[in-house]
Amino acid sequence: YTALEESGMVKPEVARRKRLEFGVGWAASFCIGILFLSDVGYRWLIFVAFVAVLLGGSFVQTNRSRRPPPKMVYTASYSLALLCTCVLQLSMGALLPSLLSDAWIGQTVFALYVFLICIFHCLETVFVAMFHTEDLDFRATLINNGAPYTAAMCVAIVEYWVEYFLLGDSSSLPILTIIGFVVAVIGQFLRSWAQFCAGRNFTHIVADEKVANHRLVTSGPYSFSRHPGYDGWFFWSVATQLLLCNPLCTVAFAIVSWRFFFERIVHEEYGLRQFFGDAYRDYARKVPVRIPGLQAALDRIAT
């Protein structure tokens, strides 16, 4: 709303009121999480709210070629964004009592997972708000990232809870959860660093035409990886399943994510060679892609 206010798309009084509503929502959700959700039973609220955001978001503006009525988009976007914010704070509040005790409870692991997912989608929205304000709508959250994305998240949730009900707390291994969390944080940091370093040159949709201010970014994370945003997202997606100790989804996410980024990078690099010519070819020879095995696959198709 600050970005919308500065661009003149929202009146200052509206922006102030909405910021206040979000602030109250964050504070209230955080307190609720601390006071009430330390009881394992109440953590089902996180599960229900998270699924509501996930499934609700998948039905908002999924068709990019047709724009629904603005009022409907605004209402749905605002409601889901506020719910996502509350889920983030609920998960943080629910985590604190368990993290400060010696208990390692299965629902705590799920709250940690929800926390990472919400942080990811919030940062995606912040990036669009700062650098692509004209495109700021619910699609910026990437929650409605297509049916495959929603299906993958649902399958991961189902696998986690089935294992938890069958095996209890033994379904979660603290060392794997810690490793998964650390790798996910590193992946998130790498993706966000790449986005904010590239600024307007980074877009959620692969560009097919070069715009006037499009430049080749080779500094920051781009100095050691050609596609640090994709690298970070790949490691983040696999690490979230490692955090949950989901053996099937860990393997599946690694395979599907690898294939997705391989196809996307092939498509994107074709355009980048057209846009920047020899400058990009020289850059590509010097700087690899850091997703395991993907650079070798790109080299094979290049020859």
Side-chain angles (χ1 to χ4, degrees):
Y1 278 102
T2 299
L4 289 173
E5 179 185 357
E6 292 176 350
S7 65
M9 298 173 66
V10 170
K11 294 180 180 180
E13 57 271 19
V14 174
R16 284 194 294 270
R17 185 175 72 252
K18 295 303 181 182
R19 282 197 294 267
L20 178 61
E21 290 177 9
F22 270 97
V24 172
W26 274 66
S29 301
F30 187 64
C31 292
I32 291 172
I34 293 177
L35 296 176
F36 301 109
L37 298 186
S38 57
D39 184 344
V40 173
Y42 286 102
R43 289 185 189 160
W44 283 104
L45 180 60
I46 297 177
F47 173 76
V48 173
F50 178 61
V51 171
V53 171
L54 187 64
L55 296 181
S58 67
F59 291 104
V60 178
Q61 275 190 288
T62 53
N63 187 343
R64 295 177 183 271
S65 62
R66 295 180 57 193
R67 296 183 67 88
K71 186 175 181 180
M72 184 186 77
V73 173
Y74 173 81
T75 302
S77 301
Y78 179 74
S79 300
L80 285 166
L82 183 58
L83 182 56
C84 184
T85 301
C86 292
V87 171
L88 172 61
Q89 291 302 94
L90 285 170
S91 64
M92 290 177 64
L95 275 171
L96 282 182
S98 297
L99 293 178
L100 296 176
S101 68
D102 295 329
W104 189 268
I105 306 171
Q107 284 88 339
T108 301
V109 176
F110 187 74
L112 194 61
Y113 170 71
V114 173
F115 172 76
L116 289 173
I117 298 295
C118 290
I119 286 291
F120 170 79
H121 289 293
C122 287
L123 286 176
E124 294 297 315
T125 308
V126 169
F127 165 74
V128 174
M130 291 182 65
F131 295 100
H132 299 281
T133 308
E134 68 280 3
D135 297 326
L136 187 59
D137 57 24
F138 191 73
R139 290 176 297 178
T141 66
L142 290 189
I143 293 176
N144 58 338
N145 205 20
Y149 180 82
T150 303
M153 289 295 174
C154 291
V155 170
I157 292 171
V158 169
E159 181 183 354
Y160 174 77
W161 286 108
V162 167
E163 292 175 356
Y164 179 76
F165 283 124
L166 292 177
L167 303 174
D169 287 345
S170 60
S171 64
S172 298
L173 300 176
I175 185 62
L176 288 183
T177 295
I178 292 171
I179 293 173
F181 179 77
V182 171
V183 174
V185 170
I186 293 173
Q188 178 66 72
F189 173 78
L190 182 58
R191 177 170 174 81
S192 297
W193 185 18
Q195 288 177 316
F196 285 86
C197 181
R200 290 189 61 85
N201 298 285
F202 191 106
T203 58
H204 283 159
I205 301 175
V206 176
D208 293 321
E209 296 181 1
K210 183 180 180 182
V211 296
N213 59 350
H214 194 179
R215 64 183 180 87
L216 179 61
V217 180
T218 59
S219 59
Y222 294 90
S223 63
F224 59 83
S225 173
R226 290 209 302 276
H227 299 280
Y230 296 158
D231 296 346
W233 197 354
F234 173 83
F235 288 113
W236 174 88
S237 66
V238 177
T240 57
Q241 300 311 302
L242 189 63
L243 178 148
L244 291 175
C245 299
N246 282 350
L248 298 179
C249 281
T250 299
V251 175
F253 272 50
I255 295 173
V256 173
S257 297
W258 192 96
R259 292 185 62 182
F260 170 79
F261 288 120
F262 173 74
E263 294 173 1
R264 188 177 177 97
I265 287 173
V266 169
H267 177 201
E268 184 169 332
E269 292 203 332
Y270 173 80
L272 290 170
R273 286 192 290 269
Q274 300 298 315
F275 297 164
F276 301 108
D278 290 337
Y280 186 79
R281 294 186 182 91
D282 293 339
Y283 170 69
R285 282 194 291 266
K286 297 175 183 177
V287 181
V289 179
R290 298 296 179 178
I291 296 176
L294 205 149
Q295 182 61 56
L298 292 173
D299 293 339
R300 283 196 297 270
I301 65 172
T303 56

